[in-house]
mmCIF file of all heavy atoms in Angstrom:
data_model
loop_
_atom_site.group_PDB
_atom_site.id
_atom_site.type_symbol
_atom_site.label_atom_id
_atom_site.label_comp_id
_atom_site.label_asym_id
_atom_site.label_seq_id
_atom_site.Cartn_x
_atom_site.Cartn_y
_atom_site.Cartn_z
ATOM 1 N N ARG S 50 47.440 75.147 89.901
ATOM 2 C CA ARG S 50 47.529 76.268 90.838
ATOM 3 C C ARG S 50 48.962 76.576 91.205
ATOM 4 O O ARG S 50 49.368 77.728 91.264
ATOM 5 C CB ARG S 50 46.734 75.968 92.081
ATOM 6 C CG ARG S 50 45.249 76.049 91.847
ATOM 7 C CD ARG S 50 44.472 75.875 93.107
ATOM 8 N NE ARG S 50 43.057 75.848 92.842
ATOM 9 C CZ ARG S 50 42.151 75.412 93.656
ATOM 10 N NH1 ARG S 50 42.503 74.923 94.850
ATOM 11 N NH2 ARG S 50 40.875 75.425 93.341
ATOM 12 N N VAL S 51 49.737 75.565 91.506
ATOM 13 C CA VAL S 51 51.112 75.783 91.884
ATOM 14 C C VAL S 51 51.920 76.379 90.713
ATOM 15 O O VAL S 51 52.724 77.278 90.911
ATOM 16 C CB VAL S 51 51.771 74.483 92.394
ATOM 17 C CG1 VAL S 51 53.246 74.640 92.632
ATOM 18 C CG2 VAL S 51 51.099 74.013 93.677
ATOM 19 N N GLY S 52 51.658 75.915 89.521
ATOM 20 C CA GLY S 52 52.332 76.447 88.343
ATOM 21 C C GLY S 52 52.004 77.935 88.143
ATOM 22 O O GLY S 52 52.873 78.731 87.832
ATOM 23 N N ALA S 53 50.719 78.289 88.305
ATOM 24 C CA ALA S 53 50.320 79.690 88.187
ATOM 25 C C ALA S 53 50.961 80.554 89.273
ATOM 26 O O ALA S 53 51.399 81.677 89.016
ATOM 27 C CB ALA S 53 48.804 79.803 88.247
ATOM 28 N N PHE S 54 51.024 80.001 90.481
ATOM 29 C CA PHE S 54 51.682 80.727 91.575
ATOM 30 C C PHE S 54 53.139 80.973 91.287
ATOM 31 O O PHE S 54 53.668 82.076 91.445
ATOM 32 C CB PHE S 54 51.496 79.918 92.875
ATOM 33 C CG PHE S 54 52.099 80.560 94.073
ATOM 34 C CD1 PHE S 54 51.622 81.751 94.591
ATOM 35 C CD2 PHE S 54 53.188 80.004 94.711
ATOM 36 C CE1 PHE S 54 52.177 82.351 95.696
ATOM 37 C CE2 PHE S 54 53.760 80.569 95.823
ATOM 38 C CZ PHE S 54 53.244 81.766 96.317
ATOM 39 N N ARG S 55 53.835 79.927 90.819
ATOM 40 C CA ARG S 55 55.263 80.080 90.474
ATOM 41 C C ARG S 55 55.461 81.102 89.362
ATOM 42 O O ARG S 55 56.398 81.892 89.408
ATOM 43 C CB ARG S 55 55.840 78.724 90.064
ATOM 44 C CG ARG S 55 56.057 77.781 91.199
ATOM 45 C CD ARG S 55 56.597 76.472 90.682
ATOM 46 N NE ARG S 55 56.890 75.573 91.756
ATOM 47 C CZ ARG S 55 57.053 74.267 91.593
ATOM 48 N NH1 ARG S 55 56.963 73.739 90.404
ATOM 49 N NH2 ARG S 55 57.334 73.516 92.639
ATOM 50 N N GLN S 56 54.592 81.057 88.353
ATOM 51 C CA GLN S 56 54.691 81.997 87.237
ATOM 52 C C GLN S 56 54.529 83.447 87.738
ATOM 53 O O GLN S 56 55.249 84.334 87.340
ATOM 54 C CB GLN S 56 53.640 81.678 86.162
ATOM 55 C CG GLN S 56 53.639 82.653 85.010
ATOM 56 C CD GLN S 56 54.924 82.641 84.223
ATOM 57 O OE1 GLN S 56 55.576 81.606 84.083
ATOM 58 N NE2 GLN S 56 55.325 83.789 83.718
ATOM 59 N N GLY S 57 53.560 83.633 88.630
ATOM 60 C CA GLY S 57 53.347 84.987 89.202
ATOM 61 C C GLY S 57 54.586 85.447 89.980
ATOM 62 O O GLY S 57 54.938 86.623 89.901
ATOM 63 N N LEU S 58 55.184 84.534 90.727
ATOM 64 C CA LEU S 58 56.378 84.896 91.460
ATOM 65 C C LEU S 58 57.507 85.294 90.505
ATOM 66 O O LEU S 58 58.220 86.267 90.750
ATOM 67 C CB LEU S 58 56.844 83.740 92.358
ATOM 68 C CG LEU S 58 55.999 83.472 93.577
ATOM 69 C CD1 LEU S 58 56.436 82.198 94.266
ATOM 70 C CD2 LEU S 58 56.066 84.625 94.560
ATOM 71 N N ARG S 59 57.665 84.536 89.404
ATOM 72 C CA ARG S 59 58.713 84.864 88.421
ATOM 73 C C ARG S 59 58.485 86.234 87.801
ATOM 74 O O ARG S 59 59.402 86.984 87.617
ATOM 75 C CB ARG S 59 58.775 83.797 87.328
ATOM 76 C CG ARG S 59 59.497 82.540 87.743
ATOM 77 C CD ARG S 59 59.771 81.629 86.536
ATOM 78 N NE ARG S 59 58.573 81.126 85.954
ATOM 79 C CZ ARG S 59 57.915 80.016 86.365
ATOM 80 N NH1 ARG S 59 58.395 79.317 87.361
ATOM 81 N NH2 ARG S 59 56.811 79.620 85.756
ATOM 82 N N GLU S 60 57.221 86.566 87.532
ATOM 83 C CA GLU S 60 56.913 87.869 86.965
ATOM 84 C C GLU S 60 57.231 88.999 87.917
ATOM 85 O O GLU S 60 57.505 90.123 87.501
ATOM 86 C CB GLU S 60 55.426 87.899 86.545
ATOM 87 C CG GLU S 60 55.111 87.005 85.390
ATOM 88 C CD GLU S 60 53.619 86.899 85.128
ATOM 89 O OE1 GLU S 60 52.810 87.574 85.818
ATOM 90 O OE2 GLU S 60 53.218 86.140 84.216
ATOM 91 N N LEU S 61 57.205 88.721 89.219
ATOM 92 C CA LEU S 61 57.546 89.731 90.226
ATOM 93 C C LEU S 61 59.030 89.749 90.558
ATOM 94 O O LEU S 61 59.460 90.523 91.417
ATOM 95 C CB LEU S 61 56.725 89.456 91.491
ATOM 96 C CG LEU S 61 55.222 89.669 91.343
ATOM 97 C CD1 LEU S 61 54.489 89.202 92.602
ATOM 98 C CD2 LEU S 61 54.900 91.138 91.084
#
Side-chain angles (χ1 to χ4, degrees):
R50 287 185 184 163
V51 172
F54 180 67
R55 286 178 177 164
Q56 178 63 34
L58 288 172
R59 281 191 296 274
E60 291 172 3
L61 293 172

